[in-house]
Amino acid sequence: MSGTTIVLVHGAWADGSCWSSVVEALQARGHTVISPQFPETSLEADVARLRQVLRRQDGPTLVVGHSYGGQIATALGEDAPNVVGLVYIAAFGLDEGESIGQLLAQGPPTPALGNLEIDDLGYAWLPEADFVGHFAADVDPVKARVMHAAQQPLAASTLEDVMGIPAWKALPTWYLVATNDEAIPPDAERAFAARMGATTVEVESSHVPMVSHPDAVVDLVETALAELR
């Protein structure tokens, strides 16, 4: 869709800079891209930030969410003005009545999330060994340690927030499954994509394909734009 703005929504233990390679490639292809910072103090605050960003756009917008960023995008619900599609990158795509914590509790803790450290303010942090060895397992360890150092903690309360009517029920969707994901099980990602009816691709990636496989992310975003035309 010509003139569509791309809004990139980062997930937990990250910030807008995790999209840097994707932003650079999309800008080089002539796209308008925004990669805002999300507070991760609550799901409500994060959705409010996304709405703030969307209100600043004059035309159609494609929202791309990674991991918990998919939760933020999904929680737009039926009130998503100017949003013409959703792209999920190894992301949560919950249905009405579900929570992230409920889904994660259906199996043993994943390797990347098995040792979350909850501080006295109720925020979850990832230990360095789990971040480097599991969360970003296919990223150069030097770069992964930098990402860990810059991690933004997630309010643990977000794991219990129950989804209302999901935005994906009213919008076309695309999904990138990270087949080596050690944070969200790949089979869970496939299940999210299937019930959305999403156009789906699979990439041999850890949980952070926008860092380790940015070209695959860019290609899926451009596929979405082409199919929206």
Side-chain angles (χ1 to χ4, degrees):
M1 183 175 289
S2 178
T4 300
T5 297
I6 302 160
V7 175
L8 304 172
V9 184
H10 69 76
W13 309 294
D15 63 16
S17 68
C18 70
W19 296 104
S20 294
S21 295
V22 172
V23 171
E24 183 177 352
L26 288 171
Q27 288 179 336
R29 300 183 191 192
H31 299 295
T32 300
V33 189
I34 300 172
S35 181
Q37 310 297 323
F38 290 85
E40 302 195 348
T41 53
S42 69
L43 179 60
E44 181 181 9
D46 292 326
V47 175
R49 172 59 52 79
L50 180 53
R51 292 195 187 284
Q52 176 188 17
V53 171
L54 293 174
R55 284 196 300 271
R56 290 173 48 82
Q57 313 314 312
D58 294 328
T61 305
L62 180 69
V63 176
V64 183
H66 169 248
S67 191
Y68 167 72
Q71 175 85 332
I72 300 170
T74 302
L76 287 170
E78 297 177 298
D79 181 18
N82 295 335
V83 177
V84 293
L86 302 171
V87 180
Y88 290 80
I89 307 298
F92 287 101
L94 302 190
D95 204 347
E96 188 172 6
E98 295 178 344
S99 70
I100 292 176
Q102 169 197 24
L103 290 184
L104 291 177
Q106 292 178 5
T110 56
L113 306 181
N115 301 300
L116 287 178
E117 299 170 348
I118 310 297
D119 67 20
D120 57 0
L121 295 178
Y123 285 82
W125 300 76
L126 279 182
E128 183 177 293
D130 292 349
F131 194 109
V132 176
H134 300 293
F135 191 78
D138 60 350
V139 176
D140 179 272
V142 173
K143 184 171 185 176
R145 290 184 66 225
V146 172
M147 292 168 62
H148 171 264
Q151 72 170 296
Q152 183 161 280
L154 178 70
S157 64
T158 60
L159 302 179
E160 307 308 319
D161 283 310
V162 176
M163 182 58 62
I165 297 174
W168 54 260
K169 287 201 171 175
L171 292 166
T173 56
W174 293 261
Y175 201 107
L176 184 149
V177 173
T179 62
N180 297 327
D181 199 325
E182 294 187 86
I184 303 175
D187 282 345
E189 296 177 8
R190 294 182 182 106
F192 294 147
R195 71 181 179 187
M196 291 176 188
T199 298
T200 305
V201 299
E202 298 203 358
V203 178
E204 292 186 10
S205 170
S206 71
H207 186 58
V208 290
M210 66 287 185
V211 179
S212 61
H213 292 77
D215 289 347
V217 174
V218 170
D219 287 347
L220 185 59
V221 170
E222 291 216 304
T223 294
L225 293 171
E227 293 180 1
L228 285 167
R229 291 193 182 104

